[in-house]
Amino acid sequence: MTTQPAARIDVLPLTPLQEGLLFHALYEHERAARDVYLVQLVFELDGAVDPDRLRAAAQALLDRHPTLRA
């Protein structure tokens, strides 16, 4: 089984805010500190979950909004 390379997409320049976040992340990395801008979310789902439908919904969201893939 061979895998196909991912389709190429435009690479956009960083916004000033993204440049600042990158600067701080790299600066803190050199000091072995944790990234103060790291955001993690945890969702708890109640009831029966169809993993295939959930995966398809998440993929549709990413396909529709390229900025969420960044």
Side-chain angles (χ1 to χ4, degrees):
M1 178 174 138
T2 61
T3 59
Q4 298 293 326
R8 297 196 102 176
I9 58 173
D10 290 336
V11 177
L12 302 175
L14 295 177
T15 65
L17 176 61
Q18 290 170 323
E19 287 180 355
L21 293 172
L22 178 60
F23 169 80
H24 286 287
L26 294 174
Y27 178 75
E28 293 297 325
H29 179 71
E30 290 177 5
R31 296 177 48 214
R34 58 177 275 215
D35 186 357
V36 296
Y37 297 108
L38 177 68
V39 176
Q40 293 181 337
L41 300 173
V42 175
F43 295 94
E44 293 185 22
L45 304 175
D46 292 330
V49 176
D50 181 340
D52 293 330
R53 288 181 71 186
L54 183 59
R55 189 175 296 109
Q59 188 62 54
L61 185 67
L62 294 174
D63 292 344
R64 189 173 303 124
H65 303 283
T67 55
L68 293 177
R69 295 190 303 258

